[in-house]
Amino acid sequence: MKEPQPKNTAATVADVARLSGVSKATAARVLGGYGTVSDKARDAVMLAAQELDYRPNELARSMTTGRSGTIGVVVGDIENPFFGSAVRGISDAARASGFNVVLANSGEDVAAERAAIETLVAKRVDGLIVSPAQESTIGHLEDIGHAGRPLVLLDRAIAALAVDSVTADDRQASEAVTRLLVERGHREIAYVTACDTPTHLYRDTSDILTASVRERIEGFLEVGAQAGIADMPRWVRLGANTPDATRRLTIDLLREATPPSAIIASDSLIALEIFKVAREHGIEMPEALSLVTFHDAAWTAVTTPPVTVVRQPVYEMGEAAAKMLIERLSGEPCAPRHLVLPTQLVERASIAVRGNQAAGPRIWSL
């Protein structure tokens, strides 16, 4: 074999072919993992590639094979533990099938989401998994199909898009947790969620541009109506998109003439800020304020009191989304699928029983 070239020069397929003493076509077949070659030629090529520290040109490979071996993922908030768990499920399933994952964060902004998708498509990802910020603006999602790439929606289905999707049973979960609070005697129950709207007060479903948010609110209101709580809609608070916004919403709620006896948080980041506000102002939990949150974040089990949660199968949702996408990339012929995974209500010590003697107004210095 000839002397290898210096390591500071990027090795090419031609370099590997020369060093191994085979044709460029044979070296390309070995390095690309396709076609048939002899064991002797394969061993020679792999040894030469190792000596040259050869690295494949992924762009050239994708142009040759039509595949890059990558999946693009766009999530709403990478700081949210929910999306972290989902991405882990996606990555594990992708890796098991030989795919890498390229991650982008939209910040729940449609313009940022659109830009991220355009960038990923330009990088020739084979398919995309997206947690859409809104269901009313979907042109950029439709463009993914026009670009010849399969799309799977994560956590938020959109009926107008004929694509695969994976969600949790959000409405059922919301009904279950609201019903639990009602059964424990609570009548003033607030629901706090992140949602970009002109006002923090809920008016009707036209304010809600994300299916999962809307389904949870609908479940919350339905159980309230069944329990005869006429003013349930006034307890819905939108716009808890940042820690500061959540703190302001929480303080405003607790300053009500008759403040809520219980709060349902739509995710663990919101719940953490509510918990901190209660602690900072000496509000006893759960005696004065009960708390429940969606997503079983690690912190919820170690606080005093530990927080009751809706445990969502987040890792499994990500894993299922990746598997559905890979099936599409393998040519799986079937109609669009919507996989709905069940949730689990994990009751801890953050809910108090409200009796008639405790049903009056609670006044705190906020």
Side-chain angles (χ1 to χ4, degrees):
M1 300 178 79
K2 299 178 182 179
E3 290 297 319
Q5 66 179 36
K7 292 289 183 69
N8 60 352
T9 302
T12 66
V13 174
D15 296 327
V16 174
R18 279 194 298 271
L19 183 59
S20 60
V22 302
S23 69
K24 183 177 178 181
T26 298
R29 283 196 294 272
V30 173
L31 297 172
Y34 63 91
T36 303
V37 297
S38 68
D39 291 341
K40 180 179 179 181
R42 179 178 292 102
D43 291 344
V45 169
M46 296 306 293
L47 179 60
Q50 182 177 2
E51 289 188 27
L52 292 171
D53 195 23
Y54 170 79
R55 295 289 185 272
N57 184 327
E58 297 296 345
L59 177 59
R61 174 183 291 180
S62 68
M63 293 177 68
T64 301
T65 65
R67 291 287 177 86
S68 66
T70 59
I71 292 171
V73 179
V74 183
V75 298
D77 181 5
I78 195 59
E79 291 186 348
N80 190 323
F82 175 94
F83 288 116
S85 297
V87 170
R88 179 59 186 269
I90 292 170
S91 299
D92 288 350
R95 187 183 305 112
S97 295
F99 288 87
N100 292 315
V101 171
V102 181
L103 177 63
N105 185 55
S106 72
E108 301 291 7
D109 179 75
V110 173
E113 178 180 290
R114 182 185 298 108
I117 288 171
E118 290 174 352
T119 298
L120 291 170
V121 170
K123 289 183 178 295
R124 304 179 70 86
V125 296
D126 296 327
L128 288 101
I129 298 172
V130 178
S131 183
Q134 294 183 6
E135 64 179 2
S136 59
T137 306
I138 61 173
H140 59 295
L141 299 174
E142 293 172 327
D143 288 342
I144 296 173
H146 299 156
R149 289 164 174 78
L151 166 67
V152 176
L153 301 182
L154 173 68
D155 184 45
R156 302 162 182 176
I158 297 177
L161 276 178
V163 299
D164 295 328
S165 58
V166 182
T167 66
D169 195 340
D170 287 297
R171 176 156 184 155
Q172 183 277 332
S174 181
E175 290 178 353
V177 73
T178 308
R179 189 173 295 112
L180 174 64
L181 289 169
V182 170
E183 289 173 350
R184 297 296 169 82
H186 294 271
R187 306 289 289 182
E188 298 89 16
I189 307 167
Y191 183 86
V192 181
T193 185
C195 186
D196 286 324
T197 62
T199 174
H200 289 163
L201 299 176
Y202 172 80
R203 295 175 302 184
D204 55 54
T205 54
S206 64
D207 290 327
I208 313 302
L209 304 178
T210 303
S212 59
V213 177
R214 184 175 58 253
E215 289 172 5
R216 290 182 187 181
I217 291 174
E218 288 173 345
F220 171 78
L221 296 177
E222 175 63 24
V223 171
Q226 292 173 358
I229 306 175
D231 60 350
M232 202 75 164
R234 83 176 186 89
W235 291 108
V236 177
R237 292 295 187 275
L238 313 173
N241 301 318
T242 66
D244 285 345
T246 302
R247 292 177 65 84
R248 288 194 299 271
L249 286 173
T250 303
I251 291 172
D252 287 346
L253 274 170
L254 298 177
R255 281 175 173 166
E256 293 268 349
T258 302
S261 64
I263 300 178
I264 302 171
S266 68
D267 66 51
S268 60
L269 293 180
I270 292 173
L272 180 57
E273 293 305 317
I274 295 171
F275 193 98
K276 288 158 64 175
V277 168
R279 278 287 178 266
E280 290 166 7
H281 292 87
I283 299 172
E284 293 295 327
M285 300 176 65
E287 294 81 5
L289 179 67
S290 295
L291 178 64
V292 186
T293 184
F294 281 77
H295 186 57
D296 188 14
W299 69 266
T300 61
V302 298
T303 52
T304 303
V307 179
T308 296
V309 300
V310 175
R311 180 178 290 162
Q312 300 161 284
V314 187
Y315 177 92
E316 291 78 5
M317 289 167 63
E319 183 181 45
K323 289 180 177 179
M324 292 171 85
L325 185 66
I326 292 166
E327 288 171 0
R328 290 296 184 189
L329 290 170
S330 301
E332 185 75 20
C334 64
R337 301 159 291 181
H338 181 192
L339 178 62
V340 181
L341 299 180
T343 62
Q344 180 183 8
L345 180 57
V346 181
E347 188 175 351
R348 295 178 179 140
S350 64
I351 299 177
V353 175
R354 297 287 299 167
N356 290 334
Q357 72 279 6
R362 291 157 305 287
I363 301 174
W364 303 303
S365 298
L366 293 175

